[in-house]
Amino acid sequence: MGDTAVVVGGGIGGLAAAIGLLRIGWEVTVVERARTLDDAGAGISLAANGLRALDELGVGDAVRDASRGQYNGGTRTPRGGWLTRMDGSALELAVGTPIMGIPRSALHRLLRDSLPAEALSIGSEADSVEQSGPNTVRVGCGDTVLDADLVVAADGIGSAVRGRLFPDHPGPVYSGSTVLRAITEQAVDLPTDFELTWGRGAEFGHIAFHDGRAEWHAVLNLPAGTRFADPLDELRSRFQTWHEPIPALLDATRPAAVLHHDVNELRTPLPSYTVGRTVLLGDAAHAMTPHLGQGACQALEDAVTLAAALTAEPTVEAALARYDAERRPRGQAVARAARQAGRMGQQLTHPLAVALRNTAMRLTPSRAATHMVLRHHAWVPPRLG
């Protein structure tokens, strides 16, 4: 079996894949087009499945040390009434851990620091990825050519590699929602670790971090490409009547810290996650809406499953077939569930539909709600040895 790989993309999925490949003895080069890895981003929630994947990659303890457990909170109405309560202790009892909140930059930095510096090729864009022989894939990066036994395409939702592999696939489409988010400049006194608040066609949520700061996000039903001259002022206007601590979170944020992105997804499933000796991973394979908080967790699952398949199977081809058989059904099922969660949650606008949903949520026993969460969190990773 070959022992060299090129990973295209230095995000969470790409770095995790590189760590996994290194742990099983492969030589790895991560090609990242950004000239500097500035660890940008807001916050992220890691569920048990993602944390187990990180454990298998050898970085789980470090990530937990930089995270805060989400033990209390839930889903509310704009006036502050509770629709559901979250019991992190019950979740911990069921799957071994609560959901953990961490700044995306911290997770990215911990993954990057787990790789040798020589494995990272920063400011280098993969201009071409071609199968140059039965067992070789050639990656062109400007004047540099890299030959590898395997290429891992972890280049995100707009994956250029995916576009070359599947030229007839429609690619990502707009979900109907746009998201604004930021991390507060200073600590905020929060009564809960985690909250979502659902209005009509709008959502506001927060994740508390271990240093007292918090990530917040606002999801809005708006036409694609909508942007605001003053995003923070726009949000203050839209959410001024919503319950605390929403106004306090906005007041604790620098205007320049607000990020704004449209929520896109791969609505049309891919027919395969592999072509020859090129494999798709993370958002390049199954970009999903954020309504289940599973995007990064699924990328981490991909990374561990790929490395494990390469150790379990006698050939790269057999390993990639195994990876596709294990990851494509699950990744696409979670993406469908995330889309449905958005349609029944933040994206609802009709008053009657919102009222019916709220009533159903209030009447759902906490044990049933926990069981629904466990469908996605209970994944157990294959061992890397």
Side-chain angles (χ1 to χ4, degrees):
M1 182 177 285
D3 60 359
T4 61
V6 172
V7 178
V8 181
I12 290 171
L15 294 176
I19 294 169
L21 291 169
L22 282 170
R23 284 180 69 85
I24 63 170
W26 283 53
E27 296 180 12
V28 182
T29 300
V30 179
V31 176
E32 169 55 51
R33 65 182 179 181
R35 296 193 177 276
T36 58
L37 293 179
D38 58 2
D39 300 324
I44 191 168
S45 292
L46 292 171
N49 54 320
L51 290 163
R52 290 195 189 104
L54 289 165
D55 287 335
E56 206 60 40
L57 296 173
V59 294
D61 288 342
V63 170
R64 286 181 178 85
D65 288 343
S67 306
R68 173 170 165 172
Q70 299 174 17
Y71 283 98
N72 59 80
T75 306
R76 307 176 73 175
T77 68
R79 291 185 177 181
W82 290 98
L83 298 174
T84 61
R85 294 273 194 170
M86 181 181 70
D87 186 346
S89 296
L91 195 60
E92 184 174 31
L93 184 63
V95 293
T97 178
I99 300 170
M100 305 294 288
I102 184 173
R104 182 177 289 268
S105 60
L107 175 60
H108 191 272
R109 186 164 54 251
L110 289 168
L111 292 172
R112 188 186 68 216
D113 290 348
S114 297
L115 294 169
E118 60 269 21
L120 298 172
S121 180
I122 308 304
S124 180
E125 183 165 3
D127 303 315
S128 62
V129 176
E130 299 176 349
Q131 185 101 16
S132 57
N135 302 320
T136 307
V137 187
R138 177 162 293 174
V139 180
C141 304
D143 296 332
T144 302
V145 175
L146 301 172
D147 287 323
D149 301 293
L150 174 70
V151 168
V152 180
D155 51 341
I157 187 170
S159 172
V161 178
R162 183 188 63 234
R164 298 186 190 107
L165 297 178
F166 299 99
D168 296 328
H169 188 273
V173 297
Y174 183 52
S175 68
S177 300
T178 193
V179 59
L180 296 93
R181 53 195 166 194
I183 295 177
T184 60
E185 180 71 3
Q186 66 267 353
V188 182
D189 185 17
L190 297 171
T192 58
D193 299 318
F194 166 84
E195 284 184 16
L196 289 179
T197 299
W198 283 344
R200 292 173 54 189
E203 170 185 300
F204 196 101
H206 77 253
I207 303 168
F209 296 144
H210 75 291
D211 63 0
R213 295 181 304 153
E215 183 262 7
W216 59 260
H217 70 266
V219 188
L220 305 170
N221 289 357
L222 289 171
T226 300
R227 294 296 182 269
F228 307 114
D230 187 336
L232 201 54
D233 187 61
E234 177 71 23
L235 293 178
R236 287 194 180 100
S237 176
R238 287 176 177 264
F239 294 102
Q240 62 182 330
T241 62
W242 288 37
H243 65 82
E244 289 289 356
I246 292 173
L249 287 164
L250 296 175
D251 288 342
T253 303
R254 288 186 303 110
V258 180
L259 306 173
H260 188 176
H261 299 96
D262 288 342
V263 178
N264 297 314
E265 59 170 329
L266 281 185
R267 191 171 299 163
T268 301
L270 288 169
S272 176
Y273 284 179
T274 69
V275 174
R277 287 198 172 202
T278 300
V279 57
L280 295 168
L281 183 147
D283 281 353
H286 46 64
M288 61 190 68
T289 65
H291 298 99
L292 291 179
Q294 275 288 314
C297 290
Q298 291 303 305
L300 294 168
E301 287 188 20
D302 290 347
V304 172
T305 302
L306 175 62
L310 288 166
T311 62
E313 297 296 334
T315 66
V316 172
E317 288 76 15
L320 296 188
R322 178 171 179 162
Y323 169 84
D324 183 60
E326 292 183 6
R327 291 306 307 153
R328 187 155 49 91
R330 176 162 167 82
Q332 292 175 351
V334 175
R336 287 193 300 271
R339 185 181 312 120
Q340 183 64 18
R343 289 173 177 171
M344 296 304 294
Q346 168 262 320
Q347 291 183 325
L348 277 185
T349 57
H350 193 283
L352 179 58
V354 170
L356 289 172
R357 178 205 63 202
N358 290 357
T359 299
M361 291 181 69
R362 290 189 180 101
L363 294 176
T364 300
S366 59
R367 181 175 297 179
T370 300
H371 178 73
M372 293 173 65
V373 170
L374 293 180
R375 289 185 303 163
H376 308 300
H377 294 202
W379 178 85
V380 176
R383 299 303 304 272
L384 297 186

